[in-house]
Amino acid sequence: MVIKLLITALILFVVVNMLFALRVMLKGGEKPMTHYLGKRLIFSVLLILLVLLAMALGIIQPNPRPY
């Protein structure tokens, strides 16, 4: 259950950083847009590695039938 909450939190963090980058792109800001896009990229990679590690350890299981 903890791993699912962590994955959900990381997905929300990625979306929030995308929205911050959009706001900077449209209105400008004190930090450059690449700051938020870089954080999004780092946390997206971390999210993928976390999911792969959880699958390898058997904590979460992929859907065996996709339909």
Side-chain angles (χ1 to χ4, degrees):
M1 184 67 180
V2 174
I3 195 81
K4 291 179 183 179
L5 290 174
L6 186 59
I7 289 171
T8 304
L10 283 173
I11 289 173
L12 287 174
F13 192 73
V14 167
V15 170
V16 166
N17 275 308
M18 287 176 58
L19 292 174
F20 282 152
L22 176 66
R23 183 179 55 107
V24 169
M25 183 176 67
L26 294 176
K27 295 183 180 178
E30 54 193 45
K31 292 185 179 179
M33 184 174 59
T34 56
H35 172 78
Y36 297 111
L37 292 177
K39 284 172 73 173
R40 180 193 64 91
L41 181 65
I42 288 170
F43 283 101
S44 295
V45 169
L46 181 65
L47 177 66
I48 291 170
L49 291 176
L50 180 67
V51 168
L52 290 175
L53 181 67
M55 284 175 34
L57 293 175
I59 298 172
I60 59 175
Q61 297 173 350
N63 187 5
R65 295 183 62 178
Y67 51 87

